[in-house]
Amino acid sequence: MKTILAAYSGVKKGSGSSILSALHDLPSVPWLTRSKIVKHLQVISVLQFVITFLAMGIGCSLLLMYMFCTDCWVIAAIYTAWLIYDWNTPKQGGRRSTWVRNWTVWKYFRDYFPIRLIKTHNLLPSRNYIFGYHPHGIFCFGAFCNFGTEATGFSKIFPGIKPSLATLAGNFRLPLLRDYLMSGGICPVNRNSIDYLLSSNGTGNAVVIVIGGAAESLDCTPGMNSVTLKNRKGFVKLALKQGADLVPVYSFGENEVYKQLIFDDDSWWRTIQKRLQKILGFAPCLFHGCGLFFPESWGLVPYCKPITTVVGEPITVPKIEEPSQDVIDMYHAMYIRSLKSLFDNYKTRFGLNESDTLQIQ
């Protein structure tokens, strides 16, 4: 009891000790050790992101409709009016919040896996860029942590560059979720939004596109080094039209954090997944991680596997208003070679074998 009072007194007097450091002085209470509390905070930070992605949009939509049937209908009506007025903001640069991007919760999120950001070359603030992010994984943890927050210090590693992670446009039609995403500098992955960032927002912009998209997530599983890229050329055409340099990005470990049941291409389960993907815009993957309270059980909490995101060398792209298919194919081939080189140069540093190869689908 005296130990507890002493720890409390130290915090009360403003000695500069945090609650965590005070609890660290309580060895007689095993579940209050600093390391365990930090680990719990890390799990909670990751789980809130997963639940937000899965349920926040539909949950807030249902809540808004319910509020119209209650005495709070005025609040719902005011927000709906604001939603209509603010409808095009996501396509016009959004509403980035430095405060939200620097929340402490993202540092716990980063340290759970942990996630790291590696720079291989400097990026010029006088240029605009399109980052091609690979692979998709299940939830794009690496992409979100590195480019949707400041947890890994993107602004310090790449001074003068402002990242904008592009995600499904449908997310920006859902109440509150749209505002939450915009606060992290996240934008819709559509032509209007990306054109605005690369042509009407000055220089030093980096639009991060997960090239493989939902289709690639269906093939994400531990040990799989495969990206959906062979027929994805729209981002190259966009880079040529805007004169934005292409930058390959590969996250080692992104596929390791969840286990997924992968069906054969000719199975009816895969057919159902692809049809739902076209309807919903995202792929209904059958995956699992570990349990919240029992690591040996199945659950939504991802496995603690390190994710290392390596940003490759930029490919200088000229501005061509109407690029021919031959020019698009040429830069697409250059991008594939650069991505393969990036993978081969760093694979052995992050747990892969020299014999492992990157498959382009």
Side-chain angles (χ1 to χ4, degrees):
M1 185 66 182
K2 291 181 179 180
T3 305
I4 296 176
L5 291 174
Y8 174 76
S9 177
V11 176
K12 188 74 173 178
K13 292 177 181 179
S15 61
S17 301
S18 66
I19 294 177
L20 287 177
S21 60
L23 291 174
H24 185 58
D25 297 329
L26 303 177
S28 59
V29 188
W31 60 273
L32 282 180
T33 60
R34 178 185 178 90
S35 61
K36 289 188 176 181
I37 291 177
V38 168
K39 188 60 180 178
H40 290 322
L41 290 174
Q42 291 173 357
V43 172
I44 291 171
S45 68
V46 174
L47 194 57
Q48 66 83 23
F49 170 80
V50 173
I51 294 175
T52 296
F53 180 85
L54 293 175
M56 184 176 182
I58 186 65
C60 290
S61 298
L62 293 174
L63 177 62
L64 186 64
M65 290 187 287
Y66 172 75
M67 289 176 66
F68 272 109
C69 303
T70 68
D71 293 338
C72 297
W73 67 268
V74 175
I75 298 176
I78 292 174
Y79 180 80
T80 302
W82 161 254
L83 190 64
I84 296 171
Y85 173 78
D86 195 55
W87 192 253
N88 290 324
T89 297
K91 295 184 291 185
Q92 298 172 350
R95 205 164 30 245
R96 181 185 302 258
S97 169
T98 302
W99 176 64
V100 173
R101 286 176 59 87
N102 283 281
W103 276 353
T104 302
V105 66
W106 306 134
K107 295 180 181 178
Y108 288 115
F109 180 95
R110 172 200 65 197
D111 293 339
Y112 173 81
F113 296 95
I115 297 174
R116 287 196 300 158
L117 180 64
I118 304 295
K119 178 176 76 170
T120 62
H121 292 78
N122 291 324
L123 299 181
L124 300 176
S126 59
R127 298 286 294 173
N128 282 327
Y129 301 91
I130 291 181
F131 285 17
Y133 184 89
H134 313 270
H136 184 285
I138 299 296
F139 285 111
C140 298
F141 288 121
F144 173 76
C145 185
N146 288 306
F147 308 118
T149 79
E150 287 295 330
T152 56
F154 182 93
S155 296
K156 294 179 180 179
I157 296 174
F158 296 102
I161 305 298
K162 185 166 62 176
S164 297
L165 177 61
T167 187
L168 290 174
N171 289 327
F172 296 89
R173 302 187 186 102
L174 301 174
L176 295 185
L177 177 62
R178 66 192 295 275
D179 304 288
Y180 186 58
L181 293 176
M182 283 193 292
S183 66
I186 301 175
C187 66
V189 62
N190 58 38
R191 182 169 298 177
N192 291 336
S193 174
I194 297 175
D195 279 345
Y196 180 89
L197 289 169
L198 297 178
S199 63
S200 305
N201 202 39
T203 59
N205 300 290
V207 178
V208 185
I209 303 175
V210 185
I211 307 298
E216 188 174 85
S217 66
L218 292 173
D219 295 317
C220 294
T221 193
M224 179 68 73
N225 303 308
S226 172
V227 298
T228 302
L229 179 59
K230 186 178 296 183
N231 297 316
R232 301 293 175 101
K233 301 180 181 180
F235 74 102
V236 177
K237 182 178 181 180
L238 187 59
L240 286 163
K241 295 186 73 172
Q242 296 295 342
D245 294 346
L246 290 168
V247 182
V249 180
Y250 195 88
S251 269
F252 294 90
E254 185 74 61
N255 285 347
E256 308 297 317
V257 298
Y258 281 114
K259 295 179 180 178
Q260 180 181 188
L261 180 59
I262 297 181
F263 302 103
D264 295 332
D265 288 337
D266 57 352
S267 67
W268 65 278
W269 277 107
R270 178 53 69 98
T271 301
I272 291 175
Q273 285 181 314
K274 289 182 176 180
R275 288 182 179 177
L276 287 175
Q277 174 197 326
K278 291 181 179 179
I279 296 172
L280 302 175
F282 62 90
C285 303
L286 296 180
F287 67 92
H288 73 84
C290 56
L292 178 60
F293 301 105
F294 303 100
E296 300 301 323
S297 63
W298 288 8
L300 287 176
V301 181
Y303 295 106
C304 292
K305 301 291 184 179
I307 299 175
T308 305
T309 303
V310 184
V311 180
E313 181 179 5
I315 301 169
T316 303
V317 176
K319 184 173 183 178
I320 304 175
E321 292 292 340
E322 294 297 332
S324 66
Q325 190 60 48
D326 289 341
V327 172
I328 294 173
D329 291 343
M330 181 182 72
Y331 279 94
H332 184 258
M334 290 172 60
Y335 180 86
I336 290 178
R337 287 195 299 270
S338 182
L339 178 63
K340 284 184 174 181
S341 176
L342 178 69
F343 179 86
D344 290 336
N345 289 339
Y346 287 88
K347 61 185 178 183
T348 57
R349 304 187 193 183
F350 305 118
L352 299 181
N353 299 319
E354 187 64 41
S355 58
D356 290 328
T357 59
L358 181 62
Q359 301 175 23
I360 307 295
Q361 297 182 345

